[in-house]
Amino acid sequence: MTDWLVGLMESLGAPGAGLAIALENLFPPLPSEVILPLAGFTSSRGEMDLLAVLLFTTLGSVLGALALYWVGALLGRERTLAIAAKLPLVKISDIEKTEAFFQRHGRKTVFFGRMIPIFRSLISIPAGVERMPLLVFTLLTTAGSAIWNTIFVMAGYLLGENWHIVETYVGIGSNVVIGLVALAIVIFIVVRLAERRKGRHASRR
């Protein structure tokens, strides 16, 4: 993957780093914790302008997020509810609670979500489903992405040849996030199955 990124940046320069970040939003297996420090390291060698890297990677983040926003917008609330109704163990009330949460905390969720591995991409979809004002979504995404990108680009710039250290530490953080999500899913399934069993016992009485 690193060779591919290096080739992309060598061919396109800073816009290549921006393209890689845009794709990372659509395909999370392309990790920003590799792309951004590598872009910073490349800048430290004088092969790309640092400011251009920061601008293009942030632009790439915003464009990728907007693409997923429109996926959510096209999907819409009614289709989301229809899909949820067909999923095992999922209740319409679960979606309604999620909607209520997003309506109360949507702005903070979009802003801070841009700085959390995995959720960086996914948060754009519910924003689209809920039709968060596009200007607000774009501004929050730009701000959150600019902070995230600057931290990692500068880390790669300052670490130089040791830029890959960033990937190691952020990888640990990503695994923690994945573990917490997996635990939450397991708890959700256990609780929902227990509720079903209680319902069946109550109906038999």
Side-chain angles (χ1 to χ4, degrees), residues 87-185:
L87 295 175
L89 305 179
V90 176
K91 297 179 179 179
I92 298 300
S93 59
D94 295 327
I95 305 300
E96 292 173 342
K97 289 176 183 176
T98 302
E99 286 180 325
F101 176 87
F102 202 88
Q103 287 169 1
R104 290 195 303 271
H105 308 290
R107 296 189 176 193
K108 289 182 286 186
T109 303
V110 168
F111 176 73
F112 290 108
R114 297 303 307 173
M115 293 174 262
I116 301 175
I118 301 172
F119 289 99
R120 297 183 68 251
S121 300
L122 299 179
I123 195 60
S124 301
I125 297 176
V129 170
E130 292 301 315
R131 286 301 182 108
M132 172 182 278
L134 188 57
L135 179 59
V136 173
F137 174 79
T138 302
L139 291 175
L140 291 171
T141 298
T142 300
S145 298
I147 293 171
W148 174 270
N149 293 354
T150 299
I151 289 172
F152 284 89
V153 169
M154 291 307 300
Y157 185 90
L158 296 173
L159 287 169
E161 296 284 350
N162 296 315
W163 66 269
H164 52 82
I165 293 176
V166 179
E167 178 188 0
T168 301
Y169 284 101
V170 177
I172 294 172
S174 297
N175 290 335
V176 170
V177 172
I178 293 171
L180 291 174
V181 171
L183 178 62
I185 292 173

Side-chain angles (χ1 to χ4, degrees), residues 51-114:
L51 180 58
V53 168
L54 294 173
L55 291 174
F56 276 104
T57 53
T58 298
L59 177 61
S61 295
V62 173
L63 292 177
L66 286 172
L68 291 177
Y69 173 94
W70 286 112
V71 168
L74 291 173
L75 186 63
R77 184 176 185 275
E78 296 305 319
R79 290 180 183 175
T80 301
L81 292 175
I83 293 172
K86 296 177 182 178
L87 295 175
L89 305 179
V90 176
K91 297 179 179 179
I92 298 300
S93 59
D94 295 327
I95 305 300
E96 292 173 342
K97 289 176 183 176
T98 302
E99 286 180 325
F101 176 87
F102 202 88
Q103 287 169 1
R104 290 195 303 271
H105 308 290
R107 296 189 176 193
K108 289 182 286 186
T109 303
V110 168
F111 176 73
F112 290 108
R114 297 303 307 173

